[in-house]
Amino acid sequence: MEKFIERICEHQPSCKKAFKEEWGAIRFTVGDKIFALIGKNNQNDLIVTLKCAPDKANEYRQEFLSIMPGYYMNKRHWNSILLKNCDVPKSLLKQMIIDSYNLVYKGLSMKQKEQLRTESLPVNKR
């Protein structure tokens, strides 16, 4: 499941992946903002934490046992998903990653968005 999540995250435009040693977690960012975090909770269970619209966040928590308020994140805007025995379908997990990316991207400044667009343009070969 972890590799599946990593592939979906890495597929998002201008995604950067980095291991944060102090947290023992892999961060996926767009601009300088996290949209996904793979790490462990205090029970040493592997989790992925994703940004989510507050109404959807509550809906998901009620529907799936594996989804809980974001671990060490704003509980209103972030969900953490237990990956062991996860009851969330892969198709929904993929959509949740994409939604998280889009929410974070939408919150970037116009300057940051323009910089990301410029960085992603192909370099002309001479």
Side-chain angles (χ1 to χ4, degrees), residues 15-118:
C15 168
K16 292 193 174 140
K17 174 183 173 183
F19 183 74
K20 179 96 169 158
E21 189 72 39
E22 309 86 80
W23 300 351
I26 301 169
R27 298 181 311 162
F28 296 90
T29 59
V30 59
D32 59 351
K33 306 289 183 191
I34 295 171
F35 71 90
L37 186 72
I38 299 173
K40 294 188 177 184
N41 63 14
N42 57 1
Q43 286 86 35
N44 211 32
D45 296 317
L46 193 62
I47 59 172
V48 61
T49 302
L50 303 168
K51 190 159 191 172
C52 191
D55 58 327
K56 283 301 236 183
N58 285 327
E59 183 182 314
Y60 290 147
R61 292 173 199 164
Q62 291 174 11
E63 188 172 348
F64 299 99
L65 294 174
S66 298
I67 300 179
M68 64 205 69
Y71 186 71
Y72 275 111
M73 301 295 248
N74 180 310
K75 310 291 186 231
R76 186 165 186 256
H77 296 276
W78 292 83
N79 276 338
S80 290
I81 300 134
L82 281 169
L83 300 182
K84 184 179 181 182
N85 302 320
C86 185
D87 62 341
V88 180
K90 280 188 172 182
S91 59
L92 178 59
L93 188 53
K94 178 180 179 179
Q95 189 58 54
M96 290 175 74
I97 293 167
I98 293 167
D99 290 347
S100 179
Y101 171 88
N102 287 333
L103 282 168
V104 171
Y105 182 83
K106 188 171 97 175
L108 297 177
S109 70
M110 293 301 280
K111 182 178 179 180
Q112 288 173 306
K113 290 176 186 175
E114 184 56 37
Q115 184 178 359
L116 291 174
R117 280 192 287 274
T118 302

